[in-house]
Amino acid sequence: MSDSKLRFEVLGPLRAWHGETRLDLGPVRQQAVLAALLLRPDVTVSHYELTDGLWEKPPESNVLPVYVRRLRQCLDTSGEKPRDSVIVSDRGGYRFASGGVRLDVARLEEVAAVAASAEESGDLVAAVDTFADALRLFHGEPLTGLPGAFVQGERRRLEERKLLLLSRKLRAQLKLGRFDEVIGELSALVSADPPSEPLAALLMRALYGGGRQAEALEVFSDVRERLVEQLGVEPGEELRQVQEAVLRGDEALLGVSPRREPARRIRNELPATNGELVGRDRELALLVEDGDPESVSVDAVDGVPGAGKTTLAVRAAHRLRESYPDGALFVDLHGYTEGREPVTPERALRRLLRAVGVEDGLMPDDLDELSASWRAATAQLRLLLVLDNAESAGQVRPLLPSGPGSRVLVTSRRRLSGLDADRRVSLGALGLEAAERLLGRIVGAPRAEGERFAVRALAGLCGRLPLALRIAGARLQNRPMWTFKDLVDRMSDDERRLGELTAEDRSVEVALRLSYEQLRPAEQDAFSVLGLSPTAEFDRLSVSALLDCSPAEAERRLESLVDASLVQEPASGRYRLHDLVAVYARRLAGEMPEKAAETARKRVYGLYLGAARRASEWGVARFPLEKGGPFTGQRDASAWLDAVGDLPEVVSQAAEAGLDDLACSVAEGLVDYLARQQRYHECRTALQIALPLAERAGDERLVSSLRFCLGYAYGMQGQLDRARGWFDDALQAGQASGDRGLEARALGGLTMVDLIAGRHDLAIPGMRRVMVLAEEVGDRWLAERALSALGYLAYLKGEHEEALGHLGRARELSEEIGSPGMLARVLCHSGTVRLETGRFAEAVLDLRRSVELAEETTDGLLIASSLARLGAAELELGNLDAAFELQRRALTAVTEETIVGMESEIRNRLGRTHLAAGDPVAAREHFEWVLTTIGPDGDPQQRTLALEGLELTRQSVLRR
């Protein structure tokens, strides 16, 4: 059968249509059978040829007839009998009857013949168009995805045919002088691996014809390097001859005549570059990346004053210069220049128009007309333009050229958000090594090597800013009798530092002042109060407190200061000042009226105090909370404190500012928050800063409270002797003041020390007394602690129901208060009692909820203990995998400051889990760690458990 409506494509994926209906050709091996017949039309192909050409090894069964039958069903949609099919059965094989069937390969040869005829007749335009028509018949790799040696051979033949047609088209384009078309089409093809030598030769001819001789030779070098590296061969004769012809300028051999461009007035106005550009390799690489050849590329560089924006932009421009044949122009817009007004766009445009050859008499006066004239003058030019020191996007936009492929580099202290830029680079301080290297290069390496520590200190005092480093280096150059340490000593005082960073017309202070003076009044106020911030980093809440405005307004002002490059934003919503900018901000803050500065400080330290108290579980009996404020509860207050950084430094800054009560109160408020996160060192540091101030603080209770806090911090780490000493001091101070609440807490601390130390005969009556006092003064936090301790003591005596009774009351109290931390602690205790008394399912419920609540309140010690005991309960229920996962999580929750007894418990429990899993070797490691770490005088309970574990390990090994 033949059907003129049946057509096939093989110059890409194998596809077939009957009329407008796409046919499903089945699996790939079946398609390969069809391809083998299609590409040998009207020729009988034997069963052996088909099988051998399409299978790597003969199939287990004779599937060829099955494939042929399916193909007939697919292709012969009219329902003819097999003898009338397009696939005909001959003796020993099959034949594809091609009469009336359309095949894209046949069409390819028809079009190629027409193109060849046009080429031979000299009609090169028609030849190029017709060769292009032939190439458009390809729509991917021929016979995409089909298997077999036959298909691979045909695929290779068709690809070579495509390459030949492409080469003939490109040669015709070269003869027509269409060099840019050939270059554009060949550049990507020649970059493929391994490279095609014939195509590379054509690209070299096109580049030569386009006047780009150096690039033509680069193509040869690149292709040769890849051929040697990948194939171990040198380029062939044709490519070598083309190289020699390019070197000699042999246009006859190359078959092209180079394009002759009329002479243009070309200017290079780029400033000279001096020395090495240090520490800006990544930014430089970004700026010298290729731009869009079809449009004007704009790159914007912003940064803190003195960061080296101009130096970077000029260095990048010199790197790019050769790619811009129509000139490189430079305009200083004087947006931030001492004693100079910013250049108006009109003035800058007249300057640029003169640079490209437009006479003054032909220039209009109106800004819009000047800008239009500039665009018209640059429409056919490929320019490199550096606009330095811009004040605003409005100053820059009229100056952008219009020639496709042109490049504009803009520098400004502000982030020009109103400017459409392809790339933005923000410069801050150099890395420490780069800053030291820059100093060494200026002053001299031998001199710097002799004072390496002083060089590092000087780099830090300069804020690692290039301008400051260059000024400092210049001062040392001009004073050879000075050492680096001499200059470090002179700059160590904030009052002198900026003054020392001045050399003739270069001054860090002037640079900062110019930026500050261009701020709006509201932004100036915001920048000034940043000098009062107690931390290096700040956010909208702390700045709103300093300014006494809404957080939204504070954020608006901060973002404006970020745009002005006076404030950095290292993370979303977090801000900081560069070191030298901070020095300038502190100077401005020092010029504020004393009362206004003190009021702003009290507001910001009050914010920290409110957050610390909201994050604490110590209760309103000790911490009266003000209504309102930015924090609604423990979670958001804790999250804010997590982000603010060095909390002891906040206490220290409040102390230095003379705010004794606030310094002590903040330190007191932070104790529970820091202890929950096992940040005991920070906790003690803050308290030790505050303790000497307590005697003169207006709040008398702080004398006792801070001592209790120190005892609590030491007790949480297991340092019981130190804890007892501070609790004793707190008790005496509390009794002296007559404050029953302070007395109750101190007594609670001492009794807890007795409990942990194993003096239960003292702990039981002590806790009962603490319970009475806690109820008397209304201290619910202390009441929960006392009830939990009484429950634990009852458990140790074997009075399990009494223990659960105490813990039940503690649970009711914590739920009444609504404290997730208290509830987590009580559930951990009750789960532990149920675990040790064999009520494993109930223990799992309590301990699982305890883990969830402890994670919510970021209580690291409670997370670790609850996970370890939950794992033990799961082990008793036969859930070995769950036990391992939970106890390993418990071990990862341990930090360097975690009490040793807690880690010992985790390892003892994990050792038992390894034993249950039949791994005595891993179990022994944990038991031995416990014995080695706690020593003979350590926790007797954990020591006994570890010894028992080792004995069980020994027995397990013997049984094996």
Side-chain angles (χ1 to χ4, degrees), residues 39-58:
L39 292 171
R40 284 186 272 191
D42 303 313
V43 174
T44 299
V45 185
S46 70
H47 292 171
Y48 172 78
E49 288 179 283
L50 286 169
T51 302
D52 187 59
L54 299 178
W55 278 269
E56 290 76 16
K57 59 181 180 178

Side-chain angles (χ1 to χ4, degrees), residues 2 52 122 226 308 388 400 409 462 528 554 576-577 624 638 759 826:
S2 65
D52 187 59
R226 287 190 286 147
D388 185 42
L400 301 180
L409 302 179
C462 290
S528 297
R576 65 175 295 120
L577 295 174
S638 296
R759 293 189 283 269
V826 173

Side-chain angles (χ1 to χ4, degrees), residues 72 119 243 248 390 649 665 677 856 958:
R72 284 170 173 163
E119 183 182 32
Q243 182 212 22
R248 295 195 308 268
E649 180 64 15
S665 296
Q677 299 190 18
E856 180 181 326
L958 289 175

Side-chain angles (χ1 to χ4, degrees), residues 430-449:
L430 296 174
L432 184 56
E433 288 186 9
E436 292 175 25
R437 190 165 70 249
L438 179 57
L439 279 172
R441 188 180 66 77
I442 296 170
V443 180
R447 192 172 168 190
E449 281 294 322

Side-chain angles (χ1 to χ4, degrees), residues 744 769-780 782-784 786:
R769 184 182 173 200
V770 169
M771 186 69 220
V772 171
L773 284 171
E775 290 177 347
E776 178 186 321
V777 300
D779 191 336
R780 293 184 292 181
L782 184 58
E784 179 271 319

Side-chain angles (χ1 to χ4, degrees), residues 700-723:
E700 294 180 359
R701 68 177 185 83
L702 289 168
V703 175
S704 175
S705 183
L706 293 185
R707 284 161 170 77
F708 169 80
C709 290
L710 272 166
Y712 184 82
Y714 280 116
M716 290 294 287
Q717 267 197 300
Q719 299 184 43
L720 300 184
D721 290 340
R722 289 188 172 185

Side-chain angles (χ1 to χ4, degrees), residues 10 18 127 143 238 245 302 310 351 387 391 486 518 697 714 837:
V10 297
H18 186 273
L143 301 168
E238 179 188 8
D302 62 74
T310 301
R351 153 93 170 70
L387 299 174
E391 178 191 32
D486 289 332
Q518 293 204 9
Y714 280 116
T837 54

